[in-house]
PDB file of all heavy atoms in Angstrom:
ATOM      1  N   GLU X   7      -5.638  53.114  -9.671  1.00  0.00           N
ATOM      2  CA  GLU X   7      -5.775  52.687  -8.289  1.00  0.00           C
ATOM      3  C   GLU X   7      -6.982  53.284  -7.583  1.00  0.00           C
ATOM      4  O   GLU X   7      -7.291  52.905  -6.451  1.00  0.00           O
ATOM      5  CB  GLU X   7      -4.502  52.993  -7.485  1.00  0.00           C
ATOM      6  CG  GLU X   7      -4.021  54.424  -7.616  1.00  0.00           C
ATOM      7  CD  GLU X   7      -2.919  54.578  -8.640  1.00  0.00           C
ATOM      8  OE1 GLU X   7      -3.040  54.003  -9.744  1.00  0.00           O
ATOM      9  OE2 GLU X   7      -1.919  55.274  -8.341  1.00  0.00           O
ATOM     10  N   ASP X   8      -7.682  54.226  -8.224  1.00  0.00           N
ATOM     11  CA  ASP X   8      -8.938  54.738  -7.694  1.00  0.00           C
ATOM     12  C   ASP X   8     -10.113  53.806  -7.983  1.00  0.00           C
ATOM     13  O   ASP X   8     -11.216  54.042  -7.479  1.00  0.00           O
ATOM     14  CB  ASP X   8      -9.249  56.119  -8.276  1.00  0.00           C
ATOM     15  CG  ASP X   8      -8.240  57.173  -7.867  1.00  0.00           C
ATOM     16  OD1 ASP X   8      -7.832  57.180  -6.681  1.00  0.00           O
ATOM     17  OD2 ASP X   8      -7.867  57.993  -8.720  1.00  0.00           O
ATOM     18  N   THR X   9      -9.901  52.794  -8.791  1.00  0.00           N
ATOM     19  CA  THR X   9     -10.963  51.864  -9.145  1.00  0.00           C
ATOM     20  C   THR X   9     -11.504  51.172  -7.903  1.00  0.00           C
ATOM     21  O   THR X   9     -10.756  50.572  -7.134  1.00  0.00           O
ATOM     22  CB  THR X   9     -10.458  50.822 -10.143  1.00  0.00           C
ATOM     23  OG1 THR X   9     -10.110  51.468 -11.376  1.00  0.00           O
ATOM     24  CG2 THR X   9     -11.526  49.777 -10.432  1.00  0.00           C
ATOM     25  N   ALA X  10     -12.809  51.271  -7.700  1.00  0.00           N
ATOM     26  CA  ALA X  10     -13.457  50.696  -6.523  1.00  0.00           C
ATOM     27  C   ALA X  10     -14.953  50.968  -6.606  1.00  0.00           C
ATOM     28  O   ALA X  10     -15.412  51.736  -7.449  1.00  0.00           O
ATOM     29  CB  ALA X  10     -12.896  51.304  -5.234  1.00  0.00           C
ATOM     30  N   VAL X  11     -15.689  50.344  -5.714  1.00  0.00           N
ATOM     31  CA  VAL X  11     -17.064  50.744  -5.471  1.00  0.00           C
ATOM     32  C   VAL X  11     -17.026  51.861  -4.440  1.00  0.00           C
ATOM     33  O   VAL X  11     -16.418  51.713  -3.378  1.00  0.00           O
ATOM     34  CB  VAL X  11     -17.927  49.572  -4.968  1.00  0.00           C
ATOM     35  CG1 VAL X  11     -19.338  50.052  -4.643  1.00  0.00           C
ATOM     36  CG2 VAL X  11     -17.980  48.463  -6.010  1.00  0.00           C
ATOM     37  N   TYR X  12     -17.670  52.969  -4.755  1.00  0.00           N
ATOM     38  CA  TYR X  12     -17.687  54.129  -3.867  1.00  0.00           C
ATOM     39  C   TYR X  12     -19.013  54.193  -3.139  1.00  0.00           C
ATOM     40  O   TYR X  12     -20.080  54.109  -3.754  1.00  0.00           O
ATOM     41  CB  TYR X  12     -17.447  55.411  -4.666  1.00  0.00           C
ATOM     42  CG  TYR X  12     -15.995  55.602  -5.030  1.00  0.00           C
ATOM     43  CD1 TYR X  12     -15.389  54.776  -5.958  1.00  0.00           C
ATOM     44  CD2 TYR X  12     -15.231  56.591  -4.412  1.00  0.00           C
ATOM     45  CE1 TYR X  12     -14.047  54.927  -6.273  1.00  0.00           C
ATOM     46  CE2 TYR X  12     -13.892  56.758  -4.725  1.00  0.00           C
ATOM     47  CZ  TYR X  12     -13.304  55.920  -5.655  1.00  0.00           C
ATOM     48  OH  TYR X  12     -11.974  56.078  -5.975  1.00  0.00           O
ATOM     49  N   TYR X  13     -18.928  54.365  -1.825  1.00  0.00           N
ATOM     50  CA  TYR X  13     -20.101  54.390  -0.962  1.00  0.00           C
ATOM     51  C   TYR X  13     -20.221  55.731  -0.259  1.00  0.00           C
ATOM     52  O   TYR X  13     -19.229  56.283   0.221  1.00  0.00           O
ATOM     53  CB  TYR X  13     -20.012  53.300   0.102  1.00  0.00           C
ATOM     54  CG  TYR X  13     -20.008  51.892  -0.427  1.00  0.00           C
ATOM     55  CD1 TYR X  13     -18.820  51.254  -0.750  1.00  0.00           C
ATOM     56  CD2 TYR X  13     -21.203  51.197  -0.589  1.00  0.00           C
ATOM     57  CE1 TYR X  13     -18.813  49.959  -1.229  1.00  0.00           C
ATOM     58  CE2 TYR X  13     -21.198  49.898  -1.067  1.00  0.00           C
ATOM     59  CZ  TYR X  13     -20.002  49.285  -1.382  1.00  0.00           C
ATOM     60  OH  TYR X  13     -19.999  48.000  -1.848  1.00  0.00           O
ATOM     61  N   CYS X  14     -21.426  56.214  -0.168  1.00  0.00           N
ATOM     62  CA  CYS X  14     -21.753  57.389   0.615  1.00  0.00           C
ATOM     63  C   CYS X  14     -22.176  56.949   2.008  1.00  0.00           C
ATOM     64  O   CYS X  14     -22.840  55.921   2.168  1.00  0.00           O
ATOM     65  CB  CYS X  14     -22.886  58.156  -0.082  1.00  0.00           C
ATOM     66  SG  CYS X  14     -23.514  59.587   0.801  1.00  0.00           S
ATOM     67  N   ALA X  15     -21.789  57.713   3.023  1.00  0.00           N
ATOM     68  CA  ALA X  15     -22.144  57.391   4.394  1.00  0.00           C
ATOM     69  C   ALA X  15     -22.557  58.647   5.146  1.00  0.00           C
ATOM     70  O   ALA X  15     -22.130  59.757   4.812  1.00  0.00           O
ATOM     71  CB  ALA X  15     -20.971  56.726   5.118  1.00  0.00           C
ATOM     72  N   ALA X  16     -23.377  58.466   6.167  1.00  0.00           N
ATOM     73  CA  ALA X  16     -23.831  59.560   7.020  1.00  0.00           C
ATOM     74  C   ALA X  16     -23.766  59.124   8.470  1.00  0.00           C
ATOM     75  O   ALA X  16     -24.112  57.988   8.806  1.00  0.00           O
ATOM     76  CB  ALA X  16     -25.255  59.973   6.657  1.00  0.00           C
ATOM     77  N   ASP X  17     -23.330  60.039   9.323  1.00  0.00           N
ATOM     78  CA  ASP X  17     -23.259  59.759  10.752  1.00  0.00           C
ATOM     79  C   ASP X  17     -23.097  61.072  11.496  1.00  0.00           C
ATOM     80  O   ASP X  17     -22.447  61.990  10.992  1.00  0.00           O
ATOM     81  CB  ASP X  17     -22.090  58.826  11.072  1.00  0.00           C
ATOM     82  CG  ASP X  17     -22.211  58.181  12.436  1.00  0.00           C
ATOM     83  OD1 ASP X  17     -21.842  58.847  13.436  1.00  0.00           O
ATOM     84  OD2 ASP X  17     -22.653  57.023  12.509  1.00  0.00           O
ATOM     85  N   ILE X  18     -23.667  61.149  12.687  1.00  0.00           N
ATOM     86  CA  ILE X  18     -23.523  62.352  13.495  1.00  0.00           C
ATOM     87  C   ILE X  18     -22.053  62.629  13.809  1.00  0.00           C
ATOM     88  O   ILE X  18     -21.629  63.787  13.881  1.00  0.00           O
ATOM     89  CB  ILE X  18     -24.335  62.227  14.799  1.00  0.00           C
ATOM     90  CG1 ILE X  18     -25.832  62.154  14.485  1.00  0.00           C
ATOM     91  CG2 ILE X  18     -24.039  63.378  15.728  1.00  0.00           C
ATOM     92  CD1 ILE X  18     -26.379  63.431  13.878  1.00  0.00           C
ATOM     93  N   ASN X  19     -21.269  61.580  13.953  1.00  0.00           N
ATOM     94  CA  ASN X  19     -19.854  61.705  14.290  1.00  0.00           C
ATOM     95  C   ASN X  19     -18.973  61.014  13.256  1.00  0.00           C
ATOM     96  O   ASN X  19     -18.026  60.306  13.601  1.00  0.00           O
ATOM     97  CB  ASN X  19     -19.590  61.123  15.676  1.00  0.00           C
ATOM     98  CG  ASN X  19     -20.293  61.867  16.774  1.00  0.00           C
ATOM     99  OD1 ASN X  19     -20.108  63.068  16.928  1.00  0.00           O
ATOM    100  ND2 ASN X  19     -21.108  61.153  17.549  1.00  0.00           N
ATOM    101  N   LEU X  20     -19.252  61.231  11.977  1.00  0.00           N
ATOM    102  CA  LEU X  20     -18.544  60.504  10.937  1.00  0.00           C
ATOM    103  C   LEU X  20     -17.044  60.768  10.955  1.00  0.00           C
ATOM    104  O   LEU X  20     -16.239  59.847  10.793  1.00  0.00           O
ATOM    105  CB  LEU X  20     -19.125  60.835   9.565  1.00  0.00           C
ATOM    106  CG  LEU X  20     -18.556  60.012   8.407  1.00  0.00           C
ATOM    107  CD1 LEU X  20     -19.636  59.692   7.398  1.00  0.00           C
ATOM    108  CD2 LEU X  20     -17.400  60.749   7.719  1.00  0.00           C
ATOM    109  N   TYR X  21     -16.645  62.024  11.144  1.00  0.00           N
ATOM    110  CA  TYR X  21     -15.223  62.339  11.089  1.00  0.00           C
ATOM    111  C   TYR X  21     -14.440  61.545  12.137  1.00  0.00           C
ATOM    112  O   TYR X  21     -13.395  60.962  11.831  1.00  0.00           O
ATOM    113  CB  TYR X  21     -14.985  63.830  11.287  1.00  0.00           C
ATOM    114  CG  TYR X  21     -13.512  64.185  11.340  1.00  0.00           C
ATOM    115  CD1 TYR X  21     -12.752  64.185  10.181  1.00  0.00           C
ATOM    116  CD2 TYR X  21     -12.899  64.495  12.541  1.00  0.00           C
ATOM    117  CE1 TYR X  21     -11.404  64.492  10.218  1.00  0.00           C
ATOM    118  CE2 TYR X  21     -11.553  64.809  12.581  1.00  0.00           C
ATOM    119  CZ  TYR X  21     -10.810  64.803  11.423  1.00  0.00           C
ATOM    120  OH  TYR X  21      -9.471  65.111  11.460  1.00  0.00           O
ATOM    121  N   ASN X  22     -14.954  61.507  13.358  1.00  0.00           N
ATOM    122  CA  ASN X  22     -14.255  60.791  14.416  1.00  0.00           C
ATOM    123  C   ASN X  22     -14.253  59.283  14.205  1.00  0.00           C
ATOM    124  O   ASN X  22     -13.412  58.579  14.753  1.00  0.00           O
ATOM    125  CB  ASN X  22     -14.875  61.109  15.772  1.00  0.00           C
ATOM    126  CG  ASN X  22     -14.562  62.513  16.244  1.00  0.00           C
ATOM    127  OD1 ASN X  22     -13.543  63.087  15.874  1.00  0.00           O
ATOM    128  ND2 ASN X  22     -15.433  63.063  17.066  1.00  0.00           N
ATOM    129  N   ARG X  23     -15.192  58.786  13.404  1.00  0.00           N
ATOM    130  CA  ARG X  23     -15.315  57.352  13.145  1.00  0.00           C
ATOM    131  C   ARG X  23     -14.828  56.955  11.757  1.00  0.00           C
ATOM    132  O   ARG X  23     -15.056  55.819  11.334  1.00  0.00           O
ATOM    133  CB  ARG X  23     -16.771  56.926  13.312  1.00  0.00           C
ATOM    134  CG  ARG X  23     -17.315  57.143  14.726  1.00  0.00           C
ATOM    135  CD  ARG X  23     -18.817  56.936  14.789  1.00  0.00           C
ATOM    136  NE  ARG X  23     -19.315  57.064  16.154  1.00  0.00           N
ATOM    137  CZ  ARG X  23     -20.594  57.096  16.486  1.00  0.00           C
ATOM    138  NH1 ARG X  23     -21.531  57.010  15.541  1.00  0.00           N
ATOM    139  NH2 ARG X  23     -20.958  57.213  17.759  1.00  0.00           N
ATOM    140  N   ARG X  24     -14.135  57.854  11.061  1.00  0.00           N
ATOM    141  CA  ARG X  24     -13.819  57.634   9.661  1.00  0.00           C
ATOM    142  C   ARG X  24     -12.911  56.441   9.425  1.00  0.00           C
ATOM    143  O   ARG X  24     -12.912  55.878   8.323  1.00  0.00           O
ATOM    144  CB  ARG X  24     -13.202  58.893   9.048  1.00  0.00           C
ATOM    145  CG  ARG X  24     -11.827  59.269   9.611  1.00  0.00           C
ATOM    146  CD  ARG X  24     -11.474  60.691   9.219  1.00  0.00           C
ATOM    147  NE  ARG X  24     -10.128  61.076   9.604  1.00  0.00           N
ATOM    148  CZ  ARG X  24      -9.790  61.483  10.830  1.00  0.00           C
ATOM    149  NH1 ARG X  24     -10.692  61.547  11.793  1.00  0.00           N
ATOM    150  NH2 ARG X  24      -8.536  61.832  11.086  1.00  0.00           N
ATOM    151  N   TRP X  25     -12.118  56.081  10.415  1.00  0.00           N
ATOM    152  CA  TRP X  25     -11.246  54.913  10.283  1.00  0.00           C
ATOM    153  C   TRP X  25     -11.926  53.621  10.699  1.00  0.00           C
ATOM    154  O   TRP X  25     -11.303  52.556  10.646  1.00  0.00           O
ATOM    155  CB  TRP X  25      -9.966  55.104  11.106  1.00  0.00           C
ATOM    156  CG  TRP X  25      -9.244  56.378  10.800  1.00  0.00           C
ATOM    157  CD1 TRP X  25      -8.939  57.373  11.677  1.00  0.00           C
ATOM    158  CD2 TRP X  25      -8.733  56.810   9.531  1.00  0.00           C
ATOM    159  NE1 TRP X  25      -8.266  58.379  11.048  1.00  0.00           N
ATOM    160  CE2 TRP X  25      -8.127  58.074   9.722  1.00  0.00           C
ATOM    161  CE3 TRP X  25      -8.725  56.252   8.253  1.00  0.00           C
ATOM    162  CZ2 TRP X  25      -7.534  58.781   8.689  1.00  0.00           C
ATOM    163  CZ3 TRP X  25      -8.141  56.967   7.211  1.00  0.00           C
ATOM    164  CH2 TRP X  25      -7.554  58.208   7.440  1.00  0.00           C
ATOM    165  N   TYR X  26     -13.181  53.703  11.076  1.00  0.00           N
ATOM    166  CA  TYR X  26     -13.934  52.542  11.518  1.00  0.00           C
ATOM    167  C   TYR X  26     -15.277  52.505  10.800  1.00  0.00           C
ATOM    168  O   TYR X  26     -16.326  52.765  11.395  1.00  0.00           O
ATOM    169  CB  TYR X  26     -14.123  52.583  13.035  1.00  0.00           C
ATOM    170  CG  TYR X  26     -12.828  52.793  13.777  1.00  0.00           C
ATOM    171  CD1 TYR X  26     -12.454  54.050  14.220  1.00  0.00           C
ATOM    172  CD2 TYR X  26     -11.963  51.724  14.010  1.00  0.00           C
ATOM    173  CE1 TYR X  26     -11.251  54.247  14.886  1.00  0.00           C
ATOM    174  CE2 TYR X  26     -10.767  51.915  14.674  1.00  0.00           C
ATOM    175  CZ  TYR X  26     -10.412  53.175  15.108  1.00  0.00           C
ATOM    176  OH  TYR X  26      -9.223  53.373  15.763  1.00  0.00           O
ATOM    177  N   PRO X  27     -15.258  52.185   9.513  1.00  0.00           N
ATOM    178  CA  PRO X  27     -16.498  52.244   8.718  1.00  0.00           C
ATOM    179  C   PRO X  27     -17.636  51.403   9.275  1.00  0.00           C
ATOM    180  O   PRO X  27     -18.797  51.790   9.130  1.00  0.00           O
ATOM    181  CB  PRO X  27     -16.054  51.719   7.339  1.00  0.00           C
ATOM    182  CG  PRO X  27     -14.590  52.003   7.283  1.00  0.00           C
ATOM    183  CD  PRO X  27     -14.100  51.822   8.692  1.00  0.00           C
ATOM    184  N   ALA X  28     -17.339  50.293   9.910  1.00  0.00           N
ATOM    185  CA  ALA X  28     -18.391  49.429  10.433  1.00  0.00           C
ATOM    186  C   ALA X  28     -19.204  50.098  11.520  1.00  0.00           C
ATOM    187  O   ALA X  28     -20.315  49.654  11.813  1.00  0.00           O
ATOM    188  CB  ALA X  28     -17.793  48.125  10.952  1.00  0.00           C
ATOM    189  N   SER X  29     -18.686  51.172  12.114  1.00  0.00           N
ATOM    190  CA  SER X  29     -19.387  51.862  13.180  1.00  0.00           C
ATOM    191  C   SER X  29     -20.340  52.936  12.682  1.00  0.00           C
ATOM    192  O   SER X  29     -21.106  53.485  13.477  1.00  0.00           O
ATOM    193  CB  SER X  29     -18.384  52.496  14.145  1.00  0.00           C
ATOM    194  OG  SER X  29     -17.735  53.613  13.559  1.00  0.00           O
ATOM    195  N   LEU X  30     -20.326  53.239  11.395  1.00  0.00           N
ATOM    196  CA  LEU X  30     -21.115  54.348  10.864  1.00  0.00           C
ATOM    197  C   LEU X  30     -22.581  53.974  10.706  1.00  0.00           C
ATOM    198  O   LEU X  30     -22.921  52.817  10.450  1.00  0.00           O
ATOM    199  CB  LEU X  30     -20.540  54.811   9.528  1.00  0.00           C
ATOM    200  CG  LEU X  30     -19.097  55.328   9.605  1.00  0.00           C
ATOM    201  CD1 LEU X  30     -18.598  55.727   8.227  1.00  0.00           C
ATOM    202  CD2 LEU X  30     -18.994  56.501  10.566  1.00  0.00           C
ATOM    203  N   GLY X  31     -23.434  54.983  10.828  1.00  0.00           N
ATOM    204  CA  GLY X  31     -24.863  54.719  10.921  1.00  0.00           C
ATOM    205  C   GLY X  31     -25.582  54.390   9.641  1.00  0.00           C
ATOM    206  O   GLY X  31     -26.426  53.484   9.616  1.00  0.00           O
TER     207      GLY X  31
END
């Protein structure tokens, strides 16, 4: 069930936006 494409992301406020991936920079 871990099978997936894994993406790295960066954002000044990533933790607070972690449930909203579309908002990340």
